[in-house]
């Protein structure tokens, strides 16, 4: 019986037997291969992807060749069970059982989380390809799941993990040690309309002339305006 620790999911390993085992006359030297298969650890559904220490979440907005963040300082990420937010920060995570990888799609623009080379991340692909395939693994601290790593499965430039760069605030796939312990918190899209007044109401009282415009913006892009 052989036990192997710390094997990476979705990886092919070659195992060599270099000598006969004592007491087993039929044991012979040789080689064989084993293949490790990733398993689904996150249920399909909508999530926000949060850098745990910095309390920021991934959005679908470009930040150079990477992706921008959105602060959630007002939320206790260790206790919250669901986050309601606007759709650019919500991601649908789906497991591909046949090929053992995840697809992560922005609910806001319908594009997949992907990378094309080192230190990049984007959400511009409407059709998934090899650059959209992700592996999600648990980060365990003292036998307790502390968060998750999201790895770009088909990287050709070393193991690259989605992380938050605190010195140049953005999310990208890095080989170096960025903030890559991520929380995957179930999410709901905020469908409440926002309400704005133009110009500022305080400036429009008294002697200031002109119309006051009221604007209601809905999550699906619809806008309703009215003037006083």
């Amino acid at each position: 019986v052989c036990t192997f620790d710390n094997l990476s999911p979705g990886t092919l390993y070659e195992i060599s037997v270099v000598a006969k085992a004592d007491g087993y006359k039929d044991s012979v030297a040789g080689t064989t291969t084993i293949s490790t298969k990733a398993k689904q650890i996150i249920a399909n559904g909508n999530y926000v992807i949060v850098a745990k220490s910095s309390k920021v979440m991934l959005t679908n907005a470009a930040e150079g060749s990477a992706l921008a963040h959105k602060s959630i300082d007002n939320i206790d990420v260790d206790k919250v069970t669901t986050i309601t937010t606007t759709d650019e920060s919500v991601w649908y995570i789906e497991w591909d059982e046949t090929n053992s990888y995840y697809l992560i799609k922005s609910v806001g623009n319908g594009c997949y989380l992907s990378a094309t080379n080192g230190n990049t991340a984007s959400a511009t692909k409407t059709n998934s390809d090899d650059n959209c395939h992700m592996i999600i693994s648990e980060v365990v601290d003292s036998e307790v799941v502390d968060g998750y790593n999201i790895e770009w499965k088909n990287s050709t430039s070393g193991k690259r993990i989605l992380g938050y760069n605190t010195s140049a605030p953005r999310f990208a796939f890095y080989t170096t040690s960025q903030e890559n312990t991520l929380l995957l918190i179930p999410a709901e899209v905020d469908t409440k309309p926002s309400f704005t007044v133009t110009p500022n109401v305080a400036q429009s009282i008294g002697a200031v002339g002109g119309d006051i415009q009221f604007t209601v913006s809905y999550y699906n892009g619809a806008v309703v305006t009215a003037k006083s």
Side-chain angles (χ1 to χ4, degrees):
V1 176
C2 296
T3 301
F4 302 96
D5 295 322
N6 301 318
L7 299 182
S8 298
T11 305
L12 188 69
Y13 292 88
E14 182 176 90
I15 308 300
S16 297
V17 181
V18 297
K20 294 181 179 181
D22 293 340
Y24 292 88
K25 64 180 180 180
D26 294 330
S27 178
V28 295
T31 60
T32 188
T33 58
I34 61 171
S35 178
T36 58
K37 184 177 181 180
K39 64 179 181 179
Q40 183 176 11
I41 60 173
I42 296 295
N44 293 357
N46 288 343
Y47 295 85
V48 290
I49 299 172
V50 177
K52 181 177 181 180
S53 297
S54 294
K55 295 182 69 173
V56 296
M57 56 187 176
L58 176 70
T59 77
N60 63 19
E63 180 70 37
S65 59
L67 288 173
H69 71 282
K70 182 178 180 180
S71 176
I72 50 171
D73 284 337
N74 60 328
I75 297 176
D76 187 340
V77 295
D78 291 317
K79 294 181 179 179
V80 68
T81 56
T82 303
I83 290 180
T84 300
T85 186
T86 48
D87 59 10
E88 79 275 2
S89 303
V90 180
W91 301 84
Y92 183 75
I93 299 179
E94 182 179 14
W95 173 248
D96 185 313
E97 179 67 33
T98 302
N99 298 297
S100 301
Y101 56 68
Y102 289 92
L103 294 172
I104 302 177
K105 179 188 284 190
S106 168
V107 172
N109 65 10
C111 295
Y112 292 94
L113 175 65
S114 64
T116 53
N117 48 54
N119 300 356
T120 67
S122 65
T124 58
K125 294 179 180 291
T126 55
N127 296 306
S128 64
D129 59 21
D130 287 352
N131 289 327
C132 304
H133 302 166
M134 304 294 163
I135 295 173
I136 298 177
S137 57
E138 295 173 338
V139 177
V140 179
D141 183 18
S142 300
E143 300 185 356
V144 175
V145 176
D146 192 46
Y148 300 89
N149 285 156
I150 298 177
E151 179 185 346
W152 177 23
K153 183 177 186 292
N154 293 308
S155 169
T156 58
S157 56
K159 185 174 183 178
R160 292 193 172 270
I161 297 175
L162 183 66
Y164 177 65
N165 187 334
T166 56
S167 58
R170 65 191 63 196
F171 281 91
F173 288 90
Y174 297 100
T175 57
T176 53
S177 181
Q178 303 294 337
E179 188 181 330
N180 52 31
T181 296
L182 307 176
L183 300 178
L184 305 178
I185 302 174
E188 296 179 354
V189 175
D190 186 356
T191 58
K192 298 189 298 294
S194 62
F195 182 81
T196 59
V197 178
T198 307
N200 182 281
V201 172
Q203 296 175 343
S204 302
I205 296 175
V208 179
D211 293 331
I212 299 175
Q213 179 170 296
F214 299 86
T215 303
V216 181
S217 301
Y218 294 86
Y219 80 100
N220 62 359
V223 176
V224 177
T225 62
K227 290 184 179 181
S228 64

